[in-house]
Amino acid sequence: MATRDTKQIGKHDNTDKNKGTYLTKENWEVMKPFVHFSAKALLAVGSTLYAVVKLIPKAIAHKSEDGKRDKVIKI
């Protein structure tokens, strides 16, 4: 005679716990290259932005070295 596999509300199988950890590990293995690429891309964009901001001249650089003439003459 065939056995019945009836599911009751509120009762869970023990295999559900193992299945979740396996899926999490499998998902990480799939997503790992994308995470690695995005970290390197953010590093490249950040270093480029830092270099561009560093190249912008500061307003303090326009002052004279002797401190006598602070006026800028525009012709």
Side-chain angles (χ1 to χ4, degrees):
M1 198 168 176
T3 60
R4 289 189 193 177
D5 291 331
T6 57
K7 294 183 180 180
Q8 295 180 356
I9 297 174
K11 292 190 177 182
H12 300 286
D13 294 335
N14 292 336
T15 58
D16 289 339
K17 294 178 184 177
N18 295 335
K19 185 177 180 183
T21 57
Y22 174 73
L23 288 177
T24 304
K25 186 176 180 182
E26 184 179 328
N27 287 341
W28 172 246
E29 292 298 322
V30 170
M31 294 302 293
K32 190 175 181 180
F34 296 108
V35 172
H36 187 70
F37 172 76
S38 64
K40 285 196 171 201
L42 283 174
L43 181 67
V45 169
S47 62
T48 304
L49 183 63
Y50 177 75
V52 168
V53 169
K54 193 165 177 98
L55 288 174
I56 296 174
K58 296 180 181 177
I60 300 171
H62 294 293
K63 290 186 178 180
S64 62
E65 293 176 3
D66 57 359
K68 294 179 182 177
R69 301 178 193 171
D70 290 337
K71 295 181 181 179
V72 177
I73 299 173
K74 295 182 181 180
I75 299 177

Coordinates of all heavy atoms in Angstrom, one line a residue:
M1 N 0.8 -1.2 0.0 CA 0.0 0.0 0.0 C 0.9 1.2 0.0 O 1.9 1.3 0.6 CB -0.9 0.0 1.2 CG -2.0 0.9 1.2 SD -3.1 0.5 2.5 CE -4.3 1.7 2.2
A2 N 0.5 2.3 -0.7 CA 1.2 3.5 -0.8 C 1.1 4.3 0.5 O 0.1 4.3 1.1 CB 0.7 4.3 -2.0
T3 N 2.2 4.9 0.8 CA 2.2 5.8 2.0 C 1.8 7.2 1.7 O 2.1 7.7 0.6 CB 3.6 5.8 2.6 OG1 4.5 6.4 1.7 CG2 4.1 4.4 3.0
R4 N 1.1 7.8 2.6 CA 0.7 9.2 2.4 C 1.7 10.1 3.0 O 2.2 9.9 4.1 CB -0.7 9.4 3.0 CG -1.8 8.7 2.4 CD -3.0 9.3 3.0 NE -4.2 8.5 2.6 CZ -5.4 8.7 3.1 NH1 -5.6 9.6 4.0 NH2 -6.4 8.0 2.7
D5 N 2.0 11.2 2.3 CA 2.8 12.2 2.8 C 1.9 13.5 3.0 O 1.9 14.4 2.2 CB 4.0 12.6 1.9 CG 5.0 11.4 1.8 OD1 5.1 10.7 2.8 OD2 5.6 11.3 0.7
T6 N 1.2 13.5 4.1 CA 0.4 14.6 4.4 C 1.2 15.6 5.3 O 2.0 15.3 6.1 CB -0.8 14.2 5.2 OG1 -0.4 13.5 6.4 CG2 -1.7 13.2 4.4
K7 N 1.0 16.9 4.9 CA 1.7 17.9 5.6 C 0.7 18.6 6.6 O -0.4 18.8 6.2 CB 2.2 18.9 4.7 CG 3.3 18.4 3.8 CD 3.9 19.5 2.9 CE 4.9 18.9 2.0 NZ 5.5 20.0 1.1
Q8 N 1.2 18.8 7.8 CA 0.3 19.4 8.8 C 0.8 20.9 9.0 O 2.0 21.1 9.0 CB 0.3 18.6 10.1 CG -0.3 17.2 9.9 CD -0.2 16.5 11.3 OE1 0.3 17.0 12.2 NE2 -0.8 15.3 11.3
I9 N -0.1 21.7 9.3 CA 0.2 23.1 9.6 C 1.0 23.2 10.9 O 0.6 22.6 11.9 CB -1.1 24.0 9.7 CG1 -1.8 23.9 8.3 CG2 -0.7 25.4 10.0 CD1 -3.1 24.6 8.3
G10 N 2.1 24.0 10.8 CA 2.9 24.2 12.0 C 4.0 23.2 12.2 O 4.8 23.3 13.1
K11 N 4.1 22.2 11.4 CA 5.2 21.2 11.5 C 6.1 21.3 10.3 O 5.6 21.4 9.1 CB 4.7 19.8 11.6 CG 3.9 19.5 12.9 CD 3.6 18.0 13.1 CE 3.0 17.8 14.4 NZ 2.7 16.4 14.6
H12 N 7.4 21.4 10.5 CA 8.4 21.6 9.4 C 9.3 20.4 9.4 O 9.6 19.8 10.4 CB 9.2 22.8 9.6 CG 8.4 24.1 9.7 ND1 7.8 24.6 8.5 CD2 8.0 24.9 10.7 CE1 7.1 25.7 8.9 NE2 7.2 25.9 10.2
D13 N 9.8 20.1 8.2 CA 10.8 19.0 8.1 C 12.2 19.5 8.5 O 12.5 20.7 8.5 CB 10.9 18.6 6.6 CG 9.6 17.9 6.2 OD1 8.9 17.4 7.1 OD2 9.3 17.9 5.0
N14 N 13.1 18.6 8.9 CA 14.4 19.0 9.3 C 15.3 19.3 8.1 O 16.3 19.9 8.2 CB 15.1 17.9 10.1 CG 14.4 17.7 11.4 OD1 13.8 18.6 12.0 ND2 14.5 16.5 12.0
T15 N 14.9 19.0 6.9 CA 15.6 19.2 5.7 C 15.6 20.7 5.3 O 16.4 21.2 4.6 CB 15.1 18.4 4.5 OG1 13.8 18.6 4.3 CG2 15.3 16.9 4.8
D16 N 14.6 21.5 5.8 CA 14.5 22.9 5.4 C 15.7 23.7 5.9 O 16.2 24.6 5.3 CB 13.2 23.5 6.0 CG 12.0 23.0 5.3 OD1 12.1 22.5 4.2 OD2 10.9 23.1 5.9
K17 N 16.3 23.3 7.1 CA 17.4 24.1 7.6 C 18.6 23.9 6.8 O 19.4 24.8 6.5 CB 17.7 23.6 9.1 CG 16.6 24.0 10.0 CD 16.9 23.5 11.4 CE 15.7 23.8 12.4 NZ 16.0 23.2 13.7
N18 N 18.9 22.7 6.3 CA 20.0 22.4 5.5 C 19.9 23.0 4.1 O 20.8 23.4 3.5 CB 20.3 20.9 5.4 CG 20.6 20.2 6.7 OD1 21.2 20.9 7.6 ND2 20.3 19.0 6.9
K19 N 18.7 23.0 3.6 CA 18.4 23.5 2.3 C 18.7 25.0 2.3 O 19.3 25.5 1.3 CB 17.0 23.3 1.9 CG 16.6 23.7 0.5 CD 15.2 23.3 0.2 CE 14.9 23.8 -1.2 NZ 13.5 23.5 -1.6
G20 N 18.4 25.8 3.3 CA 18.6 27.2 3.3 C 20.1 27.6 3.3 O 20.5 28.5 2.6
T21 N 20.9 26.8 4.1 CA 22.3 27.1 4.1 C 23.0 26.8 2.8 O 23.9 27.5 2.3 CB 23.1 26.4 5.2 OG1 22.8 25.0 5.1 CG2 22.6 26.8 6.6
Y22 N 22.5 25.7 2.1 CA 23.0 25.3 0.8 C 22.7 26.4 -0.2 O 23.6 26.8 -1.0 CB 22.5 24.0 0.4 CG 22.9 23.6 -1.0 CD1 24.2 23.2 -1.3 CD2 22.0 23.7 -2.1 CE1 24.6 22.9 -2.6 CE2 22.4 23.4 -3.3 CZ 23.7 23.0 -3.6 OH 24.0 22.7 -4.9
L23 N 21.5 26.9 -0.2 CA 21.1 28.0 -1.1 C 21.9 29.2 -0.9 O 22.3 29.9 -1.8 CB 19.6 28.2 -1.1 CG 18.7 27.1 -1.6 CD1 17.3 27.5 -1.5 CD2 19.0 26.9 -3.1
T24 N 22.1 29.6 0.4 CA 22.9 30.8 0.7 C 24.3 30.7 0.1 O 24.8 31.6 -0.5 CB 22.9 31.0 2.2 OG1 21.6 31.1 2.7 CG2 23.6 32.3 2.5
K25 N 24.9 29.5 0.3 CA 26.3 29.3 -0.2 C 26.3 29.3 -1.7 O 27.2 29.9 -2.3 CB 26.8 28.0 0.4 CG 28.3 27.7 0.0 CD 28.8 26.5 0.6 CE 30.2 26.3 0.2 NZ 30.8 25.0 0.7
E26 N 25.3 28.7 -2.3 CA 25.3 28.7 -3.7 C 25.1 30.1 -4.3 O 25.7 30.5 -5.3 CB 24.1 27.8 -4.2 CG 24.0 27.6 -5.7 CD 22.9 26.7 -6.1 OE1 22.6 25.8 -5.3 OE2 22.3 27.0 -7.2
N27 N 24.2 30.9 -3.7 CA 24.0 32.3 -4.1 C 25.3 33.1 -4.0 O 25.6 33.9 -4.8 CB 22.9 32.9 -3.3 CG 21.5 32.4 -3.7 OD1 21.4 31.8 -4.7 ND2 20.6 32.6 -2.8
W28 N 26.0 32.9 -2.9 CA 27.3 33.6 -2.7 C 28.3 33.3 -3.8 O 29.0 34.1 -4.3 CB 27.9 33.4 -1.3 CG 29.2 34.0 -1.2 CD1 30.4 33.3 -1.0 CD2 29.6 35.3 -1.3 NE1 31.4 34.2 -1.0 CE2 31.0 35.4 -1.1 CE3 28.9 36.5 -1.4 CZ2 31.7 36.6 -1.1 CZ3 29.5 37.7 -1.5 CH2 30.9 37.8 -1.3
E29 N 28.3 32.0 -4.2 CA 29.3 31.6 -5.2 C 28.9 32.2 -6.5 O 29.8 32.5 -7.3 CB 29.3 30.0 -5.3 CG 29.9 29.3 -4.1 CD 31.4 29.7 -3.9 OE1 32.1 29.8 -4.9 OE2 31.8 29.8 -2.7
V30 N 27.6 32.4 -6.8 CA 27.2 33.0 -8.0 C 27.5 34.5 -8.0 O 28.0 35.1 -9.0 CB 25.7 32.7 -8.3 CG1 25.2 33.5 -9.5 CG2 25.5 31.2 -8.5
M31 N 27.3 35.2 -6.9 CA 27.4 36.6 -6.9 C 28.8 37.1 -6.6 O 29.1 38.3 -6.7 CB 26.4 37.2 -5.8 CG 25.0 37.0 -6.1 SD 24.5 37.7 -7.6 CE 24.7 39.4 -7.2
K32 N 29.7 36.2 -6.2 CA 31.0 36.6 -5.8 C 31.8 37.4 -6.9 O 32.4 38.5 -6.6 CB 31.8 35.4 -5.3 CG 33.1 35.7 -4.7 CD 33.8 34.4 -4.2 CE 35.1 34.7 -3.5 NZ 35.7 33.5 -3.0
P33 N 31.8 37.0 -8.1 CA 32.5 37.8 -9.2 C 31.9 39.2 -9.3 O 32.6 40.1 -9.6 CB 32.3 37.0 -10.4 CG 31.9 35.6 -10.0 CD 31.3 35.7 -8.7
F34 N 30.6 39.3 -9.2 CA 29.9 40.6 -9.4 C 30.3 41.5 -8.2 O 30.5 42.7 -8.4 CB 28.4 40.5 -9.5 CG 28.0 39.7 -10.7 CD1 27.5 38.4 -10.5 CD2 28.1 40.3 -11.9 CE1 27.1 37.7 -11.7 CE2 27.7 39.6 -13.1 CZ 27.2 38.3 -12.9
V35 N 30.4 41.0 -7.0 CA 30.8 41.8 -5.8 C 32.2 42.2 -6.0 O 32.5 43.4 -5.7 CB 30.5 41.0 -4.5 CG1 31.1 41.7 -3.3 CG2 29.1 40.7 -4.3
H36 N 33.1 41.4 -6.4 CA 34.5 41.7 -6.6 C 34.6 42.8 -7.7 O 35.4 43.7 -7.5 CB 35.2 40.4 -7.1 CG 36.7 40.6 -7.1 ND1 37.5 40.7 -6.0 CD2 37.5 40.6 -8.2 CE1 38.7 40.8 -6.4 NE2 38.8 40.8 -7.7
F37 N 33.9 42.7 -8.8 CA 34.0 43.7 -9.8 C 33.5 45.0 -9.4 O 34.1 46.1 -9.6 CB 33.2 43.2 -11.1 CG 33.0 44.3 -12.1 CD1 34.1 44.6 -12.9 CD2 31.9 45.0 -12.3 CE1 34.0 45.6 -13.9 CE2 31.7 46.0 -13.2 CZ 32.8 46.3 -14.0
S38 N 32.4 45.0 -8.6 CA 31.8 46.3 -8.2 C 32.7 47.0 -7.2 O 32.8 48.2 -7.1 CB 30.4 46.1 -7.6 OG 30.5 45.3 -6.4
A39 N 33.4 46.2 -6.3 CA 34.4 46.8 -5.4 C 35.5 47.5 -6.1 O 35.9 48.6 -5.8 CB 34.9 45.7 -4.4
K40 N 36.0 46.8 -7.1 CA 37.1 47.4 -7.9 C 36.6 48.6 -8.7 O 37.4 49.6 -8.8 CB 37.7 46.3 -8.9 CG 38.6 45.3 -8.1 CD 39.4 44.6 -9.1 CE 40.4 43.8 -8.3 NZ 41.6 43.4 -9.1
A41 N 35.4 48.5 -9.2 CA 34.9 49.7 -10.0 C 34.7 50.9 -9.0 O 35.0 52.0 -9.4 CB 33.6 49.3 -10.6
L42 N 34.2 50.7 -7.8 CA 34.1 51.8 -6.9 C 35.4 52.3 -6.5 O 35.6 53.6 -6.3 CB 33.3 51.3 -5.6 CG 31.8 51.2 -5.8 CD1 31.2 50.5 -4.5 CD2 31.2 52.5 -6.1
L43 N 36.4 51.5 -6.3 CA 37.7 52.0 -6.0 C 38.3 52.8 -7.2 O 38.9 53.9 -6.9 CB 38.7 50.8 -5.8 CG 40.1 51.1 -5.4 CD1 40.1 51.8 -4.0 CD2 41.0 49.9 -5.4
A44 N 38.1 52.4 -8.4 CA 38.6 53.2 -9.5 C 37.9 54.5 -9.6 O 38.5 55.6 -9.9 CB 38.4 52.4 -10.8
V45 N 36.6 54.6 -9.5 CA 35.8 55.8 -9.5 C 36.2 56.7 -8.4 O 36.4 57.9 -8.6 CB 34.3 55.5 -9.5 CG1 33.5 56.8 -9.3 CG2 33.9 54.8 -10.8
G46 N 36.4 56.2 -7.2 CA 36.8 57.0 -6.0 C 38.1 57.6 -6.2 O 38.4 58.8 -5.9
S47 N 39.1 56.8 -6.7 CA 40.4 57.4 -6.9 C 40.5 58.4 -8.0 O 41.2 59.4 -7.9 CB 41.4 56.2 -7.1 OG 41.1 55.6 -8.3
T48 N 39.7 58.2 -9.0 CA 39.6 59.2 -10.1 C 39.0 60.5 -9.6 O 39.5 61.6 -9.8 CB 38.8 58.7 -11.3 OG1 39.4 57.5 -11.7 CG2 38.8 59.7 -12.4
L49 N 37.9 60.4 -8.8 CA 37.3 61.6 -8.2 C 38.3 62.3 -7.3 O 38.3 63.6 -7.3 CB 36.0 61.2 -7.5 CG 35.2 62.3 -6.9 CD1 34.7 63.2 -8.0 CD2 34.1 61.7 -6.1
Y50 N 39.0 61.6 -6.5 CA 40.0 62.2 -5.6 C 41.0 62.9 -6.4 O 41.4 64.1 -6.0 CB 40.6 61.1 -4.7 CG 41.7 61.6 -3.8 CD1 41.3 62.3 -2.6 CD2 43.0 61.4 -4.1 CE1 42.3 62.8 -1.8 CE2 44.0 61.9 -3.2 CZ 43.6 62.6 -2.1 OH 44.6 63.1 -1.3
A51 N 41.5 62.4 -7.4 CA 42.6 63.0 -8.3 C 42.0 64.3 -8.9 O 42.7 65.3 -9.0 CB 43.1 62.0 -9.3
V52 N 40.8 64.3 -9.4 CA 40.2 65.4 -10.0 C 40.0 66.6 -9.0 O 40.4 67.7 -9.3 CB 38.9 65.1 -10.7 CG1 38.1 66.3 -11.1 CG2 39.2 64.2 -11.9
V53 N 39.5 66.2 -7.8 CA 39.3 67.3 -6.8 C 40.6 67.8 -6.4 O 40.8 69.0 -6.1 CB 38.5 66.7 -5.6 CG1 38.5 67.6 -4.5 CG2 37.1 66.4 -6.1
K54 N 41.7 67.0 -6.3 CA 43.0 67.5 -5.8 C 43.6 68.4 -6.9 O 44.4 69.3 -6.5 CB 43.9 66.3 -5.6 CG 45.1 66.6 -4.9 CD 45.8 65.3 -4.4 CE 47.1 65.7 -3.7 NZ 47.0 65.8 -2.3
L55 N 43.3 68.3 -8.1 CA 43.8 69.2 -9.2 C 43.2 70.5 -9.2 O 43.7 71.5 -9.8 CB 43.7 68.5 -10.5 CG 44.6 67.3 -10.8 CD1 44.3 66.7 -12.1 CD2 46.1 67.8 -10.8
I56 N 42.0 70.7 -8.6 CA 41.3 72.0 -8.6 C 42.2 73.0 -7.7 O 42.5 72.7 -6.6 CB 39.9 71.9 -8.1 CG1 39.1 71.0 -9.0 CG2 39.2 73.2 -7.9 CD1 37.7 70.7 -8.5
P57 N 42.5 74.1 -8.3 CA 43.3 75.1 -7.5 C 42.5 75.6 -6.3 O 41.3 75.8 -6.4 CB 43.7 76.2 -8.5 CG 42.6 76.1 -9.6 CD 42.2 74.6 -9.6
K58 N 43.2 75.9 -5.2 CA 42.6 76.4 -4.1 C 42.6 77.9 -4.1 O 43.4 78.6 -4.7 CB 43.3 76.0 -2.8 CG 43.3 74.5 -2.6 CD 44.0 74.1 -1.4 CE 44.0 72.6 -1.2 NZ 44.7 72.1 -0.1
A59 N 41.6 78.6 -3.4 CA 41.5 80.0 -3.4 C 42.7 80.7 -2.7 O 43.0 81.8 -2.9 CB 40.2 80.5 -2.8
I60 N 43.3 80.0 -1.7 CA 44.3 80.5 -0.9 C 45.6 80.7 -1.8 O 46.5 81.5 -1.5 CB 44.6 79.6 0.3 CG1 43.3 79.5 1.2 CG2 45.8 80.0 1.1 CD1 43.4 78.5 2.2
A61 N 45.7 79.9 -2.8 CA 46.9 79.9 -3.6 C 47.1 81.3 -4.4 O 48.2 81.6 -4.8 CB 46.9 78.8 -4.7
H62 N 46.1 82.1 -4.4 CA 46.2 83.4 -5.1 C 46.8 84.5 -4.3 O 47.1 85.6 -4.8 CB 44.8 83.9 -5.6 CG 44.2 83.0 -6.6 ND1 44.8 82.8 -7.9 CD2 43.2 82.1 -6.6 CE1 44.0 82.0 -8.6 NE2 43.1 81.5 -7.8
K63 N 47.0 84.3 -3.0 CA 47.7 85.3 -2.1 C 49.2 85.4 -2.4 O 49.8 84.4 -2.8 CB 47.5 84.9 -0.7 CG 46.0 85.1 -0.2 CD 45.9 84.9 1.3 CE 44.5 85.1 1.7 NZ 44.4 84.9 3.2
S64 N 49.7 86.6 -2.3 CA 51.1 86.7 -2.5 C 51.9 86.2 -1.4 O 51.5 86.1 -0.3 CB 51.4 88.2 -2.7 OG 51.1 88.9 -1.5
E65 N 53.2 85.9 -1.7 CA 54.0 85.2 -0.7 C 54.5 86.2 0.4 O 54.6 85.8 1.6 CB 55.2 84.6 -1.3 CG 54.8 83.4 -2.2 CD 56.0 82.8 -3.0 OE1 57.1 83.3 -2.7 OE2 55.8 81.9 -3.8
D66 N 54.7 87.4 0.1 CA 55.2 88.4 1.1 C 54.1 88.9 1.9 O 54.4 89.5 3.0 CB 56.0 89.5 0.4 CG 55.1 90.2 -0.7 OD1 54.0 89.8 -0.9 OD2 55.6 91.2 -1.3
G67 N 52.9 88.8 1.5 CA 51.7 89.2 2.3 C 51.4 90.7 2.2 O 50.5 91.2 2.9
K68 N 52.1 91.4 1.4 CA 51.9 92.9 1.3 C 50.7 93.2 0.3 O 49.9 94.1 0.6 CB 53.1 93.6 0.8 CG 54.3 93.5 1.9 CD 55.5 94.2 1.3 CE 56.6 94.1 2.4 NZ 57.8 94.7 1.8
R69 N 50.7 92.5 -0.7 CA 49.7 92.7 -1.7 C 48.7 91.6 -1.8 O 49.0 90.5 -2.3 CB 50.4 92.9 -3.1 CG 51.3 94.0 -3.1 CD 52.0 94.1 -4.5 NE 53.1 95.0 -4.4 CZ 54.0 95.1 -5.4 NH1 53.9 94.4 -6.5 NH2 55.0 95.9 -5.3
D70 N 47.5 91.8 -1.3 CA 46.5 90.8 -1.3 C 45.5 91.1 -2.5 O 44.6 90.3 -2.7 CB 45.7 90.7 0.0 CG 46.6 90.2 1.1 OD1 47.6 89.4 0.8 OD2 46.3 90.4 2.3
K71 N 45.7 92.2 -3.2 CA 44.7 92.5 -4.2 C 45.1 91.9 -5.5 O 46.3 91.8 -5.9 CB 44.7 94.0 -4.4 CG 44.2 94.8 -3.2 CD 44.1 96.3 -3.5 CE 43.6 97.0 -2.3 NZ 43.6 98.5 -2.5
V72 N 44.1 91.4 -6.2 CA 44.3 90.8 -7.6 C 43.8 91.9 -8.6 O 42.7 92.3 -8.5 CB 43.5 89.5 -7.7 CG1 43.7 89.0 -9.1 CG2 43.9 88.5 -6.7
I73 N 44.7 92.2 -9.5 CA 44.4 93.2 -10.5 C 44.0 92.5 -11.8 O 44.8 91.7 -12.3 CB 45.6 94.2 -10.8 CG1 46.0 94.9 -9.5 CG2 45.3 95.1 -11.9 CD1 47.2 95.7 -9.6
K74 N 42.8 92.8 -12.2 CA 42.3 92.2 -13.5 C 42.4 93.2 -14.6 O 41.9 94.3 -14.4 CB 40.9 91.6 -13.3 CG 40.9 90.5 -12.3 CD 39.5 89.9 -12.2 CE 39.4 88.8 -11.2 NZ 38.0 88.3 -11.1
I75 N 42.9 92.9 -15.7 CA 43.0 93.9 -16.8 C 42.1 93.4 -17.9 O 42.1 92.3 -18.3 CB 44.4 94.0 -17.3 CG1 45.3 94.5 -16.2 CG2 44.5 94.9 -18.5 CD1 46.7 94.7 -16.5

